[in-house]
Amino acid sequence: MNVLGIESSCDETSVAVISNGKLLSNLIASQHFHKLYGGVVPELSSRAHLQIIMPLLKQALTESKLELNEVDVVAATAGPGLIGALLVGLSFAKGLAFSLNKKFVAVNHIEGHIFSGFLMEEKPEFPYLCLVVSGGHTLLLIVKSETEIIKLGTTVDDAAGEAFDKAAKLMGLEYPGGPLIQKYARLGNPERFPFPIAKLKNPYDFSFSGLKTALLRFKQKEYGNSKIPEADLPDIAASFQNAIVKALILKAEKALSEFKVNSLSIVGGVAANERLKNEALTLASKFGIKAVIPLPEYCGDNAAMIAYRGMLLAKNNMFNSFEFNAYPSLKKINFSNWKSI
Ligand code: KG4
Ligand code: ZN
């Protein structure tokens, strides 16, 4: 089975091909120009997707040594994400499948991330604890099978990636902030500033907005309206990163103590964070289980994970009609059997 995957939910346009379970191509075009605006501008994002999607498709097919009519299934992200951006990839995918008389699968972007660990050689084993940490979502889940997902907790305010991005802005750094905070943090002392970790009613929920406010207050107190001096950035970045990673790992540890799972998988853009990865490896070994964290190119938004999830759904005969629409929010697209505890 040859599956073509298409992803366009935010500021990455991506096209991938999976043939009989093997990834043949995964091309990602990132829209770096959003840096100029300090965040993603939805309308500009849609236009940029439109310009690049066709050349990416051609290149992905060339790399995969496949003709367009050899594609069996077209899978595309249907949400959550920016509505205009989603519509570009989804309409393109539906048009392609319709004109080629092939099957179409609508993929939940978050489910793409959840199963992205399967793109690695060492794969997660069901049931596994999955921490989804991206720019838009923070979720703690137990993935029981390809179609059964149990939600333990989520963020009550900002997502982990959003917290990194907002903190970076306060620190005078560009968007996206996560990679830059990581870069400065390498040189800093993570214990210098004790930023707070939120305590919540549901022990598996997260909250990062207090942390962002704490950074804002700290900045105002120390530097008034001036910029944070370059020399102070490493310790602040390291301490801030430490607080986010600690919060994520604490909740994962609590879940591992309570639920018997075979693996721990951390996915989404923030899973590319080296500190988080190291802490996750230590945590998994403490519980004698495997840690699966995708390579950075499968952590951030990519079509390989969409093609993979599309392939799983296709194998379960879960195809969609060409009427299927794009949904900006997660709630409307619980394709799988998502349950709460
Ligand atoms: O999954 P993703 O590419 O897009 C969404 O679906 O949201 O995640 C993007 C997020 C951004 O907030 C970015 O700052 C963060 O992932 N990120 C990182 C790192 N690389 C990307 N955060 C911390 N450390 C990193 N190395
Ligand atoms: Zn994502």
Side-chain angles (χ1 to χ4, degrees):
M1 180 170 33
N2 295 324
V3 183
L4 180 72
I6 294 174
E7 156 64 31
S8 70
S9 65
C10 192
D11 55 346
E12 259 93 29
T13 323
S14 181
V15 177
V17 176
I18 290 185
S19 179
N20 297 327
K22 189 168 179 273
L23 181 65
L24 299 184
S25 176
N26 179 38
L27 300 172
I28 305 168
S30 295
Q31 303 171 359
H32 297 293
F33 61 81
H34 294 293
K35 276 186 179 50
L36 299 171
Y37 308 95
V40 178
V41 183
E43 182 54 29
L44 296 182
S45 161
S46 315
R47 288 186 216 174
H49 286 306
L50 205 53
Q51 277 182 340
I52 196 83
I53 200 158
M54 193 59 162
L56 276 187
L57 169 67
K58 286 188 177 154
Q59 202 183 328
L61 290 170
T62 308
E63 260 191 36
S64 309
K65 300 192 173 62
L66 278 185
E67 296 294 331
L68 193 51
N69 59 16
E70 289 177 282
V71 169
D72 302 302
V73 177
V74 184
T77 302
L82 302 170
I83 188 68
L86 287 166
L87 279 170
V88 175
L90 188 72
S91 310
F92 184 79
K94 288 195 290 189
L96 208 56
F98 179 72
S99 61
L100 294 167
N101 202 15
K102 303 291 166 134
K103 297 280 194 189
F104 163 71
V105 187
V107 175
N108 176 330
H109 178 83
I110 302 300
E111 291 183 9
H113 278 302
I114 291 169
F115 293 92
S116 60
F118 288 89
L119 294 165
M120 303 294 290
E121 207 138 291
E122 186 79 67
K123 301 182 192 324
E125 268 174 57
F126 294 117
Y128 62 91
L129 183 73
C130 186
L131 177 63
V132 183
V133 271
S134 72
H137 300 274
T138 303
L139 290 158
L140 192 61
L141 311 161
I142 290 183
V143 187
K144 291 180 86 175
S145 70
E146 284 173 9
T147 50
E148 263 180 300
I149 298 166
I150 296 176
K151 188 169 115 187
L152 301 181
T154 184
T155 178
V156 297
D157 41 56
D158 294 347
E162 192 180 355
F164 269 111
D165 295 338
K166 286 181 175 171
K169 209 169 188 173
L170 284 173
M171 291 162 70
L173 304 175
E174 279 181 339
Y175 174 87
L180 289 172
I181 291 191
Q182 166 173 293
K183 200 171 132 207
Y184 278 101
R186 279 187 198 130
L187 312 165
N189 172 7
E191 308 296 339
R192 170 126 180 244
F193 305 112
F195 288 118
I197 294 176
K199 286 211 173 71
L200 296 137
K201 216 161 131 202
N202 173 0
Y204 301 120
D205 276 347
F206 304 88
S207 167
F208 296 110
S209 74
L211 182 57
K212 175 196 64 196
T213 310
L215 178 63
L216 175 67
R217 300 263 178 279
F218 167 84
K219 185 187 167 210
Q220 285 168 338
K221 189 169 147 261
E222 296 290 319
Y223 311 102
N225 288 328
S226 318
K227 262 185 80 176
I228 300 177
E230 182 77 18
D232 290 356
L233 286 177
D235 284 351
I236 297 173
S239 302
F240 186 84
Q241 176 178 271
N242 189 35
I244 294 202
V245 170
K246 257 193 184 160
L248 296 172
I249 292 293
L250 265 175
K251 310 281 163 137
E253 181 163 20
K254 173 138 185 64
L256 290 177
S257 318
E258 191 165 335
F259 302 98
K260 173 101 190 67
V261 292
N262 291 321
S263 314
L264 164 68
S265 188
I266 304 196
V267 299
V270 181
N273 185 276
E274 59 202 20
R275 177 84 202 259
L276 178 58
K277 187 174 174 162
N278 287 339
E279 297 282 327
L281 291 173
T282 309
L283 179 64
S285 74
K286 190 169 152 190
F287 283 84
I289 58 170
K290 182 157 61 163
V292 181
I293 296 146
L295 289 173
E297 62 259 42
Y298 309 132
C299 284
D301 290 345
N302 68 88
M305 68 183 192
I306 303 304
Y308 187 84
R309 183 64 185 144
M311 180 193 78
L312 293 181
L313 294 169
K315 278 186 175 169
N316 285 290
N317 254 320
M318 290 167 82
F319 297 105
N320 296 97
S321 84
F322 295 124
E323 323 273 283
F324 202 97
N325 217 334
Y327 293 97
S329 105
L330 178 66
K331 291 187 185 78
K332 287 259 175 75
I333 42 168
N334 290 343
F335 301 143
S336 290
N337 189 8
W338 283 56
K339 289 185 193 135
S340 293
I341 42 165

